[in-house]
């Protein structure tokens, strides 16, 4: 055998299991039964992969428990009877994976990937994206490109072998993550980003077919669910399968992005979740229900009422159109971020899920770092740190921007890696807001990016000159230039038409 995975599936190359040279009607008289679930006790087919490619083997190991429960078993393409059944030459290069069903259907390449995706409920977004015009051809070309670049004649396989050794060092505790140098194989990483890349691209095709405010919500939803898919994929492990109900709640009933904390942590007693710390401190109302041991509904419902009053009442009395739009936006933020999302957090915490509100009293911020790092929209901040800042710091964190000097009170040393990571995270934030704000408005390009880069510069200035830290500096950087973020074209072309559409004006 070319892979230890074959031993895991308890499959042997015996004539009894595959006596025929050509594809029989039912090649397995006594198929191996997947363990642990009676509903998956029937055989549906084989998934063949390149057993000489470390990346392919790693992906097979990762997905084996998932597809085993659904009646599919992995086996290397190099297996003798497999090559005979599929008509493969021993010296021929293996360019694509194959799926051989129990009914005799032979599926190859990108079509095999889509066939397998249809067997898993949480892969529905990938299937839906593939059905869009032009996407199937794009997926086929992408698959062929990946297949060509994962070949073991390519330098990537040597890199993968070194990463495998690094992973063993990491698991044994002999080397930390950044020294071990291990990274997941490309075939494991790419599916995680499929939705985040594909959904916004699909929404772009609707830009001229819907109203600007409709395009804004569609783009925001595409990015939101793309991030949900990405974070959920990252916590999917071979021995930790995501359950349907919590995953459904994570996608559609929770705005946070900490999938590991939400989906894999064991449920806790709601009493233990109340007094864990600061996220429940609120600048408006903080009332605890002594019987339910969860934060009272008074605070979020009060914010929803205040937001509705601003959106549907106060905005009508403003004279200037920009002021009308800003009042409406403040009302929407109170309704959604401070009201509805906090109600969801209360509900999940009562159910035993450690779901922290994404807003944590931002008016209490004393520094710009505190505002963006702990107080405002923790869901997006978590993504920016995990996907942008942390990888850069791992690579560049040991390098400094200048000579190393001894720190004294009131001074700070800026490290090169931290500086690049901070600016990169805010740059990505700005570009994402361009898609949701400037693109629907059709104007104001560059202003949201400039706003977020200013936030990064402000944080770096706080670190370099601690004496300027304070509420005044934080307000000057975060609040005063907010019109760069929500610029006039966005207010006129998107917000005001949306307010008219919902009956606020």
């Amino acid at each position: 055998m070319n892979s230890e995975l074959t031993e895991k599936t308890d499959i042997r190359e015996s004539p009894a299991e595959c006596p025929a040279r050509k594809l029989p009607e039912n090649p397995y008289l006594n198929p191996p039964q997947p363990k642990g679930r009676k509903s998956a006790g029937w055989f549906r087919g084989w998934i063949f992969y390149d057993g000489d490619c470390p990346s392919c083997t790693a992906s097979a190991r990762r997905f084996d428990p998932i597809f085993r429960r659904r009646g599919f078993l992995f086996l290397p393409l190099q297996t003798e009877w497999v090559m005979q059944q599929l008509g493969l030459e021993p010296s021929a290069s293996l360019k694509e994976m194959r799926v051989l069903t129990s009914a005799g259907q032979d599926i190859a390449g990108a079509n095999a990937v889509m066939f397998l995706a249809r067997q898993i409920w949480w892969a529905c977004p990938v299937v839906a994206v593939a059905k869009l015009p032009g996407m199937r051809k794009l997926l086929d070309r992408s698959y062929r490109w990946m297949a060509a670049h994962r070949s073991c004649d390519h330098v990537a396989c040597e890199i993968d072998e070194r990463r495998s050794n690094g992973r063993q060092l990491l698991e044994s505790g002999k080397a930390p993550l950044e020294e071990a140098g291990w990274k997941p194989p490309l075939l494991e990483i790419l599916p995680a980003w499929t939705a985040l890349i594909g959904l916004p691209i699909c929404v772009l095709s609707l830009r001229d077919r819907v109203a600007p405010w409709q395009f804004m919500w569609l783009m925001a939803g595409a990015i939101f669910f793309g991030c949900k898919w990405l974070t959920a994929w990252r916590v999917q492990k071979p021995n930790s399968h995501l359950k349907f109900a919590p995953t459904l709640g994570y996608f559609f009933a929770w705005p946070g992005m900490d999938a590991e904390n939400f989906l894999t942590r064991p449920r806790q007693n709601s009493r233990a979740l109340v007094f864990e710390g600061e996220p429940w401190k609120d600048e408006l109302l903080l009332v605890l229900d002594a019987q339910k041991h969860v934060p009272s509904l008074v605070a979020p419902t009060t914010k929803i009422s205040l937001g509705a009053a601003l959106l549907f009442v106060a905005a009508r009395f403003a004279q200037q159109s920009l002021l009308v739009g800003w009042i409406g936006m403040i009302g929407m933020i109170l309704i959604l971020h401070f009201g509805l999302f906090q109600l969801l957090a209360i509900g999940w915490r009562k159910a035993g899920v450690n779901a922290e509100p994404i807003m944590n009293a931002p008016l209490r911020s004393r520094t710009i770092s505190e505002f963006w790092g702990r107080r405002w929209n923790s869901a997006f901040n978590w993504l920016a740190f995990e996907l942008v800042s942390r990888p850069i710091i791992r690579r560049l964190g040991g390098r400094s921007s200048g000579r190393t000097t001894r720190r004294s009170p009131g001074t700070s040393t800026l490290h090169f890696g931290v500086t690049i990571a901070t600016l990169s995270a805010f740059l990505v934030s700005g570009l994402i807001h361009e898609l949701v704000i400037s693109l629907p408005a059709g104007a104001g390009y560059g202003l949201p990016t400039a706003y977020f880069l200013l936030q990064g510069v402000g944080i770096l200035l706080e670190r370099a000159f601690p004496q300027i830290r304070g509420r005044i500096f934080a307000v000057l950087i975060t609040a005063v230039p907010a019109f760069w973020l929500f610029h006039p074209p966005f207010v006129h072309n998107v917000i005001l038409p949306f307010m008219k559409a919902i009956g606020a004006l």
Side-chain angles (χ1 to χ4, degrees), residues 126-443:
V126 178
V127 179
V129 170
K131 293 181 179 180
L132 296 173
M135 286 302 299
R136 200 57 181 266
K137 185 178 295 185
L138 177 62
L139 290 174
D140 184 67
R141 291 182 179 178
S142 300
Y143 178 87
R144 294 183 181 278
W145 183 90
M146 288 188 297
H149 287 77
R150 58 87 192 159
S151 174
C152 286
D153 293 331
H154 195 269
V155 69
C157 283
E158 298 180 4
I159 297 175
D160 190 86
E161 184 177 357
R162 292 197 298 269
R163 290 174 177 172
S164 178
N165 297 333
R167 182 176 184 177
Q168 295 177 2
L169 292 174
L170 176 65
E171 293 176 347
S172 63
K174 296 181 179 179
L177 181 63
E178 56 272 14
E179 295 181 12
W182 175 81
K183 293 182 180 179
L186 176 63
L187 294 179
E188 294 187 45
I189 297 176
L190 193 60
W193 292 85
T194 301
L196 187 56
I197 297 173
L199 291 179
I201 292 176
C202 296
V203 171
L204 284 174
S205 63
L206 302 176
R207 184 186 178 191
D208 297 329
R209 303 180 184 180
V210 297
W213 64 268
Q214 293 174 324
F215 180 77
M216 176 196 69
W217 287 112
L218 288 173
M219 180 60 71
I223 296 174
F224 175 80
F225 286 108
C227 292
K228 284 287 186 179
W229 172 265
L230 172 61
T231 54
W233 185 279
R234 286 163 62 93
V235 303
Q236 174 70 21
K237 300 177 182 178
N239 299 317
S240 177
H241 300 288
L242 303 183
K243 297 181 179 180
F244 178 78
T247 305
L248 196 64
Y250 175 72
F251 271 85
F252 298 100
W254 178 239
M257 294 294 173
D258 189 356
E260 181 177 4
N261 192 37
F262 191 94
L263 296 174
T264 64
R265 299 286 176 85
R267 299 293 185 260
Q268 304 178 41
N269 186 287
S270 60
R271 181 193 296 267
L273 294 176
V274 176
F275 304 102
E276 284 187 351
E278 209 165 359
W280 290 108
K281 293 181 180 179
D282 197 285
E283 68 272 14
L284 292 181
L285 293 173
L286 179 62
V287 183
L288 291 178
D289 188 320
Q291 296 179 348
K292 298 180 179 179
H293 302 286
V294 295
S296 170
L297 302 180
V298 174
T301 52
T302 300
K303 297 170 188 176
I304 291 176
S305 301
L306 178 59
L310 290 175
L311 179 60
F312 292 98
V313 179
R316 297 176 181 269
F317 294 95
Q319 300 298 324
Q320 298 293 331
S321 58
L322 281 178
L323 182 59
V324 172
W326 274 92
I327 293 175
M329 284 191 293
I330 294 174
M332 296 178 209
I333 293 174
L334 285 174
I335 293 173
L336 292 176
H337 294 76
F338 292 92
L340 179 60
F341 294 166
Q342 187 166 344
L343 286 176
L344 292 174
I346 291 174
W348 284 114
R349 291 175 77 88
K350 186 177 179 180
V353 180
N354 188 14
E356 298 182 354
I358 65 171
M359 293 296 190
N360 180 20
L363 294 182
R364 293 186 176 185
S365 302
R366 297 181 179 178
T367 64
I368 305 173
S369 300
E370 181 182 2
F371 179 83
W372 291 111
R374 295 174 50 200
R375 301 288 187 178
W376 185 268
N377 198 353
S378 61
F380 192 83
N381 294 337
W382 186 90
L383 279 177
F385 177 75
E386 287 292 326
L387 303 180
V388 182
S389 297
R390 175 175 285 182
I392 294 177
I393 291 175
R394 283 175 179 169
R395 289 181 174 273
L396 306 177
R399 298 169 57 189
S400 64
S401 58
R403 293 178 298 178
T404 302
T405 58
R406 180 177 298 178
R407 296 182 59 180
S408 58
T411 63
S412 176
T413 302
L414 284 179
H415 293 281
F416 179 78
V418 175
T419 300
I420 298 300
T422 301
L423 294 178
S424 298
F426 281 103
L427 174 62
V428 172
S429 300
L431 295 176
I432 292 176
H433 283 78
E434 296 281 0
L435 293 176
V436 180
I437 294 177
S438 299
L439 191 60

